[in-house]
Amino acid sequence: MSADLQWMILRNNSCCLVKRKAVRAFSREPNNLKGLNSFRFNGLVHRKSVAVEPKSDGKGVVMVLRNSKSVRKPARNFTSIELKRNARKTLSTIRKVIGEGNYRKDLKMAAIRRASAIIRSQKPVVVKKSRGKKKE
């Protein structure tokens, strides 16, 4: 079944759909980088999709790619790549795999932004010490 036909079926009828008044429709489906209900970011209808998730231990990022050739084999459908080095190496790896590897160039910037937000959230928060009051 083509991606367009699947999208026509899923766009208004999906268990992952989140609708609110006066707000754009969101989606909770896997492999949706922005969480928006749109054809471009939908992870169910495309043969190739990308997901960026935090690692389970809280240090690093996991990039999940959907294999286009094994669509009907659920065990081989997804490939996950653990990226646990520094932030610069992680983002350059995502750039190379998605952009230069001709995977889904339209999702490159969204994947990089998601990964950088996850990495930023995993950094420890440094509490600034408050200086004491001046004595006169």
Side-chain angles (χ1 to χ4, degrees), residues 7 24-25 27 29 32 36-43 45-46:
W7 173 244
R24 191 171 176 185
S27 180
E29 69 203 15
N32 190 331
L36 296 175
N37 186 36
S38 69
F39 178 72
R40 179 179 172 192
F41 297 112
N42 194 293
V45 299
H46 292 289

Side-chain angles (χ1 to χ4, degrees), residues 7 20 25 30 54 80 93 100:
W7 173 244
R20 300 280 186 257
S80 60
T93 303
E100 297 170 14

Side-chain angles (χ1 to χ4, degrees), residues 45-89:
V45 299
H46 292 289
R47 284 190 173 253
K48 294 181 177 182
S49 64
V50 181
V52 179
E53 303 163 352
K55 265 186 76 180
S56 59
D57 64 350
K59 295 180 181 178
V61 173
V62 177
M63 183 171 58
V64 181
L65 303 172
R66 187 172 186 184
N67 300 330
S68 59
K69 292 183 179 178
S70 59
V71 176
R72 289 183 170 81
K73 299 173 186 171
R76 298 184 201 158
N77 203 3
F78 295 103
T79 303
S80 60
I81 303 168
E82 290 186 0
L83 306 169
K84 53 189 170 189
R85 297 180 78 180
N86 59 3
R88 186 171 291 178
K89 290 273 188 185

